[in-house]
């Protein structure tokens, strides 16, 4: 089964982190399914659904932590499968998949704007705001506050090992916002100068815990100790329905060569270099999660999930990818 080259390219770009950040990952995933639907030359409905399922599987397997990715797949594939179950024609399913993908992307971009609007209310003149990694949502909050005329300084960690904090620092600096960049391990040293912390999220669990770039939970702990407000900016598509069933969010471990080079590994066969890409910040260390539905205490995450998914009792991922035809994925890859 041959999918459009763009699907493999997008999957590879997510895997290699050319496309990164949970929001962008999800929107690119939706775009890849849209392209699959647009370019499919399938003549039978079953063939068309199998192509989309295979594309979803390839995308699903790129990175495990950003819940927005499976949520994007679910948003689109549920429409595809339910159309198929109802006996819709190939063209009807194609149109619905394209429509759902466009809708997901539009909703996500609008959500970021809303979050910027809500989050910026909590940024004040004279603030020193710390951020970690590169979250386009946290940046949207800061840019919005700046546009509203508030004047503040940002402390950006550089974010080992991939240095996404350098991206944040350079985006903010080129926007005219004063930025100081520090090594991650200096976060507690500077916390006494900080008024608030804002970060993004890859996943939010039903109990309000937030999964974000490795190091986030240490910063939250330091903020808690110093009585500094800790804010998270996260679209509701990052909330995990599986966590309502007790499902845990998988923490991605990446290659040790992101931390040290091959030569070091060769010279030190006795050292195991570990490279977790994310960590979990418990709700107790979070003051507010800014979502497009409003600013919520982390403990209200379950309400957002209930509103979005009801009592989520369907089989959790990746089962839904098996689709209504119950074809084992191994048969169609
Ligand atoms: C990125 C990261 C970001 C969140 C939110 O990790 O942890 O804080 O994904 O980003 P990575 P956004 O670089 O490993 O993808 O707000 O842009 O969705």
């Amino acid at each position: 089964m041959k999918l459009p080259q763009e699907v493999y390219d997008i999957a590879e770009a997510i895997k290699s982190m050319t496309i990164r950040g949970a929001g962008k990952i999800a929107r690119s995933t939706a775009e890849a399914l849209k392209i699959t639907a647009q370019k499919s030359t399938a003549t039978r409905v079953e063939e068309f659904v199998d192509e989309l399922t295979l594309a979803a599987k390839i995308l699903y397997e790129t990175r495990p932590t950003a819940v927005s990715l499976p949520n994007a797949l679910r948003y689109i594939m549920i429409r595809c499968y339910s159309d198929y179950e109802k006996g819709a024609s190939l063209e009807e399913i194609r149109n619905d998949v394209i429509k759902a993908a466009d809708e997901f992307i539009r909703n996500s971009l609008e959500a970021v704007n809303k979050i910027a609007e809500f989050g910026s209310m909590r940024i004040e003149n004279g603030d020193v705001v710390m951020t970690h990694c590169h979250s386009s949502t946290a940046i949207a909050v800061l840019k919005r506050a700046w546009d509203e005329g508030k004047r503040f300084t940002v402390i950006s960690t550089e974010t080992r090992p991939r240095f996404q904090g350098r991206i944040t620092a350079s985006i903010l600096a080129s926007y005219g916002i004063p930025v100081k960049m520090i090594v991650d391990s200096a976060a507690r040293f500077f916390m006494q100068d900080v008024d608030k912390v804002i970060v993004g999220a890859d996943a939010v669990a039903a109990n309000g815990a937030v999964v974000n770039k490795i190091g986030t939970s240490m910063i939250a702990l330091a903020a808690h100790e110093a009585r500094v407000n800790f804010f998270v900016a996260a679209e509701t598509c990052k909330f995990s329905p599986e966590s309502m069933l007790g499902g845990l969010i998988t923490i991605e471990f990446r290659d040790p060569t992101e931390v040290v080079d091959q030569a070091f590994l060769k010279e030190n066969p006795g050292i195991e270099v570990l490279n977790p890409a994310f960590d979990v910040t418990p709700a107790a260390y979070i003051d507010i999660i800014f979502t497009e539905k409003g600013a919520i205490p982390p403990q209200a995450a379950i309400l957002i999930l209930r509103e979005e998914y009801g009592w989520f009792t369907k089989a959790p991922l990746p089962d839904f990818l098996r689709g209504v035809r119950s074809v084992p994925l191994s048969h169609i890859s």
Side-chain angles (χ1 to χ4, degrees), residues 1 45-46 48-58 60-61 70 73-74 77-78 80-82 84-85 242 314-333:
M1 194 181 293
V45 177
E46 288 73 13
F48 181 74
V49 173
D50 283 354
E51 282 179 12
L52 278 162
T53 304
L54 177 59
K57 179 182 184 288
I58 290 169
Y60 178 68
E61 286 173 352
L73 294 175
R74 184 184 347 257
M77 294 305 287
I78 274 178
C80 168
Y81 294 141
S82 85
Y84 175 78
E85 257 177 355
E242 283 78 19
K314 294 178 213 89
L317 284 168
D319 289 2
F320 94 98
L321 288 174
R322 297 200 175 102
V324 291
R325 299 182 58 221
S326 301
V327 179
L329 284 170
S330 53
H331 289 199
I332 58 165
S333 49

Side-chain angles (χ1 to χ4, degrees), residues 100-113:
D102 283 339
E103 209 172 81
F104 182 89
I105 294 168
R106 198 176 48 246
N107 289 347
S108 167
L109 294 171
E110 281 172 11
V112 173
N113 284 337

Side-chain angles (χ1 to χ4, degrees), residues 126-158:
D127 272 351
V128 174
V129 185
M130 184 179 278
T131 190
H132 182 57
C133 194
H134 169 226
S135 156
S136 52
T137 324
I139 286 183
V141 170
L142 296 169
K143 281 184 171 176
R144 170 80 184 228
W146 190 260
D147 290 345
E148 286 168 356
K150 291 169 185 172
R151 291 299 171 255
F152 53 90
T153 303
V154 175
I155 297 182
S156 172
T157 61
E158 65 173 354

Side-chain angles (χ1 to χ4, degrees), residues 32-106:
L33 286 185
K34 178 180 165 178
I35 294 169
T36 309
Q38 279 172 330
K39 296 204 166 173
S40 171
T41 53
T43 49
R44 289 181 310 110
V45 177
E46 288 73 13
E47 200 188 334
F48 181 74
V49 173
D50 283 354
E51 282 179 12
L52 278 162
T53 304
L54 177 59
K57 179 182 184 288
I58 290 169
L59 293 158
Y60 178 68
E61 286 173 352
T62 52
R63 291 189 77 187
T65 303
V67 161
S68 48
L69 190 163
N71 282 348
L73 294 175
R74 184 184 347 257
Y75 190 90
I76 298 160
M77 294 305 287
I78 274 178
R79 279 155 182 82
C80 168
Y81 294 141
S82 85
D83 275 1
Y84 175 78
E85 257 177 355
K86 286 184 214 144
S89 71
L90 196 154
E91 280 320 306
E92 281 167 337
I93 306 181
R94 192 200 308 269
N95 286 339
D96 277 354
V97 166
I98 293 170
K99 209 170 121 204
D102 283 339
E103 209 172 81
F104 182 89
I105 294 168
R106 198 176 48 246

